[in-house]
Amino acid sequence: MESTLDNHTATLQIGSDQDSFEYLKTPYTGNLKLENILEIITHVSIHPTQFHTQLNVEAEAHLNQHVIVRLVNDHGKLTRMFGWYLLKGINVTSITQLNNLDKGQYNLQILNKEGELIFTQAVFKA
């Protein structure tokens, strides 16, 4: 586990491999304390990172909270967006019907209720 503070953005890398990814990146001002970062989301796992028709997203929340999930292509165009109410603990959702998307890189983003980006991860349409 590694944490850094760069330009008022707290980043916590929990671990990663080729098929899933756990990462937390959140805007944060003030003293960098792990317990403050973990109040938002303790981890996010996306699989597969190279998808054909579906992405599975698992998020563990420290508190009940509403977030927005977006899938943006490499040109910045929004391709999918939905609201997700996270309950304290582990939450799982699937983004389906992705077979009509063009092949290439996309960014899966999670925003807090204020619209601030709290997580982003590149995924690839095969």
Side-chain angles (χ1 to χ4, degrees):
M1 183 167 58
E2 174 184 330
S3 63
T4 59
L5 180 63
D6 180 26
N7 197 17
H8 300 290
T9 299
T11 303
L12 174 65
Q13 173 112 21
I14 299 170
S16 66
D17 63 34
Q18 287 187 334
D19 294 325
S20 66
F21 191 85
E22 297 177 12
Y23 188 80
L24 174 69
K25 184 171 184 176
T26 180
Y28 180 76
T29 57
N31 293 328
L32 178 61
K33 294 182 181 176
L34 187 58
E35 61 270 16
N36 292 338
I37 296 169
L38 296 181
E39 287 179 10
I40 299 169
I41 295 176
T42 56
H43 94 262
V44 174
S45 177
I46 301 171
H47 59 277
T49 54
Q50 291 190 10
F51 66 94
H52 293 280
T53 62
Q54 174 176 313
L55 279 170
N56 301 304
V57 182
E58 179 181 297
E60 186 171 355
H62 184 68
L63 302 169
N64 295 353
Q65 61 188 302
H66 182 82
V67 296
I68 303 295
V69 178
R70 300 190 308 194
L71 190 62
V72 180
N73 70 15
D74 59 348
H75 300 292
K77 181 180 177 189
L78 181 65
T79 60
R80 297 285 189 278
M81 184 173 77
F82 62 93
W84 190 15
Y85 188 76
L86 300 176
L87 298 175
K88 181 179 178 179
I90 297 173
N91 299 265
V92 179
T93 192
S94 294
I95 306 171
T96 60
Q97 300 177 346
L98 300 176
N99 51 319
N100 62 344
L101 294 179
D102 293 335
K103 293 180 180 181
Q105 180 175 324
Y106 292 80
N107 287 309
L108 186 123
Q109 303 173 337
I110 300 177
L111 293 84
N112 65 15
K113 64 184 177 183
E114 288 81 25
E116 299 167 327
L117 185 66
I118 59 173
F119 172 84
T120 186
Q121 168 62 40
V123 292
F124 301 89
K125 169 74 161 98

